[in-house]
Structure formats: structure tokens, C-alpha cells
């Protein structure tokens, strides 16, 4: 059962907005933008570099997603969870296609990236104005 409230799930699945992934190793936080896909309490990202290296050392991560309209926040969702690096190339390719489709990118874009699945442990969200109407 997902720990993400149904309304937050709807927001996470609603449109292709950027997320910011927070990792931390040796007491040094690192935050970077990522594309993501959310389904059934799990976030998928495909990444490389420092983000991937940090997850390998410390799987506890945070993800912040926010939607704005002309600089005015419409909604935000913050997720805390545990990341798992998926080494299977077929799973990675399938996830990459799903994420790239969401963001209208070529299916094989970012072919060097590795799949990371984040099991959400907790979620908070907030809407602003009449977003829910």
C-alpha cells in the first residue's frame, strides 16, 4: 500500500514537471534536477554521475517536485524514500522509454543512464489557490 496520499499521487502523475533529487554522503548534501516517473508508491529515475555514486553510498534520498505558473507555485510534493540501483539493462531501457515518453524525448535518449527506483517512505504535499477545483 502506498504511503503517498491519493491527491499527491494525482499531482505527481499529472504533468511532466522537473523534480529535484537530494542525496547525501559524508555529511555533504547534493541536490540536482531529474526527470521522473511515479507509479504505485515508487519513483523511477534514470541517472548517472554524482547522483548515482551518492545513492550507491547512501540510499536514503529526498525528492521535491513543484509546479509553477508564471512564478506562482501551484502545488508541491516532497517525498522521502530509499533508492535502489537497478543493474538490469532491459529494465533500465524500459524505464528510460517510459520517462522519456513523459517528457517528450526520444525513446533512447540518455542511453548511458542507470535506472534507480525509489520506494517512498513518506510524502507531504500542498496545493495553492484553486488548483484542485
Amino acid at each position: 500500500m502506498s504511503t503517498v496520499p491519493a491527491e499527491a499521487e494525482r499531482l505527481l502523475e499529472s504533468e511532466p514537471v522537473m523534480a529535484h533529487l537530494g542525496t547525501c554522503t559524508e555529511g555533504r548534501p547534493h541536490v540536482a534536477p531529474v526527470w521522473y516517473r511515479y507509479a504505485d508508491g515508487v519513483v523511477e529515475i534514470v541517472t548517472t554521475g554524482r547522483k548515482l555514486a551518492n545513492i550507491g553510498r547512501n540510499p536514503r534520498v529526498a525528492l521535491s517536485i513543484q509546479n509553477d505558473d508564471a512564478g506562482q507555485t501551484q502545488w508541491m510534493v516532497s517525498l522521502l524514500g530509499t533508492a535502489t540501483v537497478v543493474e538490469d539493462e532491459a529494465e533500465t531501457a524500459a524505464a528510460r522509454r517510459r520517462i522519456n515518453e513523459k517528457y517528450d524525448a526520444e525513446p533512447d535518449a540518455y542511453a548511458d543512464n542507470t535506472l534507480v527506483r525509489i520506494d517512498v517512505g513518506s510524502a507531504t504535499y500542498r496545493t495553492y489557490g484553486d488548483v484542485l477545483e
Side-chain angles (χ1 to χ4, degrees), residues 26-109:
E26 299 175 7
R28 297 193 58 148
H30 176 71
V31 177
V34 294
W35 287 352
Y36 75 95
R37 181 177 173 274
Y38 174 85
D40 302 321
V42 176
V43 175
E44 291 180 327
I45 64 171
V46 287
T47 192
T48 189
R50 186 169 177 187
K51 296 181 294 288
L52 189 60
N54 285 357
I55 290 167
R57 288 190 209 75
N58 179 1
R60 294 172 43 200
V61 299
L63 202 66
S64 174
I65 304 100
Q66 179 174 312
N67 184 312
D68 297 315
D69 181 16
Q72 300 297 310
T73 302
Q74 301 299 299
W75 57 264
M76 59 75 59
V77 178
S78 293
L79 306 172
L80 300 177
T82 303
T84 302
V85 176
V86 178
E87 302 291 345
D88 184 276
E89 183 50 43
E91 286 187 57
T92 298
R96 184 182 316 113
R97 283 190 295 277
R98 289 189 293 268
I99 293 167
N100 288 346
E101 179 181 351
K102 176 181 176 180
Y103 290 89
D104 200 27
E106 292 296 319
D108 294 324

